């Protein structure tokens, strides 16, 4: 792929590298999903909100959870052309990524990241709630995860049964296709939007920028105070 600046981009896709080279980051896509049933989503989100509030009033620890996966995608080299010709940058894309599951507490309004060595799968997903359970002093804990397939795997759901590894954690599943109803999703999206568009020199700089951004601040997001959902791409009623 070539741009108007004659930069050559190897491997696919290169669209995430173009904003640092050619201009501002394009606007993120609207969160509407064609599979989403708006009435059912609103009803289930309200049920989850009511349940979370009741558990908090009963003294439970409640967390919403989501995963960020920052990627270091490019290394830029400048080729020395023959005299009289313009310098041409060559971008050799070598993708490196790391997953950062995070647990957002609606009471402390802070996120605790749990970096994993690999990308998200069922076994890596088990590690984060396992650490959360060990670090939580409360006897009863509820977690509202995103709707990734790995969170519904039998290998994970069975661990919440009495006597199993995650018996002190009760999962509360939000409605499908509704990331805008999960407070942790908004925090992770803010982190990605503020770190992913910066072209770092090394993978360590890229991956190291995500966790401090998330953990170094308090946020106002909970089930009662979420940013409004964009509706420009919703189908006409």
């Amino acid at each position: 792929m070539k741009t108007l600046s004659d930069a050559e981009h190897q491997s696919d896709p290169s669209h995430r590298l173009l904003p640092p080279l050619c201009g501002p980051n394009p606007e993120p896509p609207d969160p509407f999903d064609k599979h989403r049933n708006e009435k059912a989503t609103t009803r289930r989100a309200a049920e989850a909100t009511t349940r979370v509030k009741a558990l908090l009033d009963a003294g439970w620890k409640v967390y919403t959870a989501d995963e960020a996966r920052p990627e270091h995608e490019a290394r830029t080299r400048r080729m020395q052309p023959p005299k009289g010709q313009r310098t041409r940058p060559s971008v050799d894309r070598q993708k490196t990524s790391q997953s950062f599951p995070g647990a957002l507490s609606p009471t402390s309004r802070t996120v605790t990241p749990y970096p994993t060595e690999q990308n998200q799968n069922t076994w890596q997903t088990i590690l984060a709630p396992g650490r959360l359970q060990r670090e939580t002093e409360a006897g009863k804990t509820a977690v509202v995860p995103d709707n990734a397939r790995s969170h519904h795997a039998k290998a994970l759901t069975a661990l919440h049964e009495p006597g199993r590894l995650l018996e002190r954690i009760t999962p509360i599943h939000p409605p499908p296709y509704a990331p805008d109803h999960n407070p942790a999703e908004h925090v992770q999206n803010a982190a990605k939007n503020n770190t992913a568009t910066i072209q770092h020199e090394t993978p360590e700089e890229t991956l190291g920028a995500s966790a401090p951004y998330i953990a170094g601040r308090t946020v106002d997001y909970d089930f009662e105070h979420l940013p409004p959902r964009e509706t420009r791409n919703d189908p006409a009623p």
Side-chain angles (χ1 to χ4, degrees):
M1 177 180 179
K2 283 189 176 183
T3 67
L4 295 178
S5 62
D6 289 336
E8 293 185 356
H9 303 276
Q10 301 175 8
S11 84
D12 65 310
S14 296
H15 67 280
R16 294 186 182 180
L17 178 65
L18 297 183
L21 295 178
C22 304
N25 190 39
E27 188 175 356
D30 190 276
F32 173 75
D33 191 289
K34 65 181 180 180
H35 300 290
R36 175 164 165 160
N37 182 321
E38 198 62 43
K39 290 183 178 180
T41 295
T42 301
R43 174 179 54 80
R44 288 190 56 183
E47 292 173 353
T49 301
T50 301
R51 187 178 180 190
V52 166
K53 185 177 185 304
L55 293 178
L56 287 172
D57 292 341
W60 285 48
K61 291 286 188 179
V62 179
Y63 298 88
T64 57
D66 185 38
E67 180 204 41
R69 189 175 62 193
E71 298 175 339
H72 180 84
E73 299 184 295
R75 181 171 57 192
T76 304
R77 301 172 180 171
R78 289 193 173 275
M79 302 173 60
Q80 185 64 36
K83 186 176 181 179
Q85 296 185 17
R86 188 167 62 176
T87 300
R88 185 179 63 190
S90 175
V91 181
D92 182 13
R93 287 169 42 86
Q94 296 183 352
K95 182 179 295 186
T96 302
S97 63
Q98 185 175 8
S99 295
F100 287 87
L104 168 62
S105 168
T107 52
S108 69
R109 299 184 182 272
T110 59
V111 177
T112 303
Y114 296 99
T116 60
E117 296 298 326
Q118 304 174 21
N119 292 335
Q120 186 181 31
N121 55 42
T122 299
W123 302 112
Q124 291 295 327
T125 300
I126 292 173
L127 296 178
R131 288 183 56 185
L132 176 64
Q133 180 176 249
R134 291 194 299 272
E135 296 173 4
T136 303
E137 296 180 357
K140 296 183 178 181
T141 304
V143 174
V144 184
D146 61 17
N147 267 295
R149 182 178 300 177
S150 58
H151 291 146
H152 296 274
K154 291 182 179 179
L156 174 60
T157 56
L159 295 180
H160 295 290
E161 297 175 357
R164 303 296 300 275
L165 177 64
L166 302 178
E167 64 174 345
R168 287 202 297 112
I169 291 184
T170 299
I172 301 176
H173 293 289
Y177 312 114
D180 50 308
H181 285 280
N182 188 334
E185 293 266 9
H186 293 279
V187 179
Q188 298 283 29
N189 283 340
K192 287 185 284 187
N193 291 339
N194 284 275
T195 60
T197 56
I198 301 175
Q199 188 177 6
H200 297 282
E201 293 292 333
T202 66
E204 291 75 18
E205 291 179 3
T206 299
L207 303 180
S210 180
Y213 184 94
I214 295 172
R217 63 196 66 220
T218 57
V219 297
D220 293 330
Y221 300 150
D222 57 31
F223 287 102
E224 302 293 338
H225 307 89
L226 291 173
R229 185 176 71 85
E230 294 288 346
T231 58
R232 295 188 305 275
N233 294 337
D234 283 8

